[in-house]
Amino acid sequence: MIYTLNDLLMKMGAPETREKGEMRWHYFDKASSEVAGFAEIRLLDGGHRLIAEMKHLKHDYEDDTGRTHPLYEESFYLHAERTGAQYKVTKVAFDGEEYAHPQKAIIELGLSIFHARALDISI
């Protein structure tokens, strides 16, 4: 699927990445003093590649089936390459599922997930 850089960044909630070249959010777990969540977007190789990554650890997390996990990790990865003036998303992965050459619906879902979780991490 092809997107403009502005479209990708807006959908991820970080349009200022265009000027800065990268955006990062993180927070620490007070009890363990370890990073409990991070999200980042990077433009690499002079803007030829866009990488977005996110990991978020949750304690005592209740999943959709009602099972409680003592520790649960949410994750996200997106890789896009510039082709001319636009970017082609070549890989999306979230929560243990990887999609090589993803369809538009999966990309849109992934971008929304990144936006929501990055916002959660930044708060």
Side-chain angles (χ1 to χ4, degrees):
M1 188 69 214
I2 303 294
Y3 291 88
T4 66
L5 179 58
N6 191 54
D7 284 345
L8 285 172
L9 296 176
M10 290 295 288
K11 289 174 187 262
M12 289 189 285
E16 59 274 16
T17 305
R18 181 181 212 121
E19 291 83 34
K20 296 180 179 185
E22 67 181 15
M23 288 296 297
R24 293 185 176 160
W25 305 268
H26 67 276
Y27 74 97
F28 292 91
D29 181 334
K30 288 181 184 179
S32 67
S33 297
E34 294 179 1
V35 172
F38 82 91
E40 63 184 20
I41 303 170
R42 301 181 311 273
L43 289 169
L44 304 172
D45 301 330
H48 284 83
R49 290 188 302 138
L50 178 132
I51 304 290
E53 293 183 86
M54 186 271 313
K55 285 195 180 175
H56 191 193
L57 298 175
K58 293 190 170 198
H59 297 278
D60 301 320
Y61 176 79
E62 186 176 333
D63 65 20
D64 294 337
T65 65
R67 244 180 55 197
T68 301
H69 303 270
L71 187 63
Y72 182 81
E73 180 182 287
E74 296 176 329
S75 62
F76 178 85
Y77 179 84
L78 177 135
H79 180 266
E81 294 184 6
R82 188 169 72 195
T83 56
Q86 297 181 323
Y87 284 77
K88 181 178 182 179
V89 176
T90 59
K91 181 179 176 184
V92 172
F94 48 89
D95 299 339
E97 296 292 325
E98 187 175 310
Y99 304 91
H101 311 292
Q103 299 294 317
K104 182 178 181 175
I106 294 295
I107 296 168
E108 294 290 328
L109 175 61
L111 295 170
S112 296
I113 286 172
F114 182 89
H115 188 175
R117 292 179 181 174
L119 182 60
D120 191 27
I121 288 170
S122 72
I123 293 172

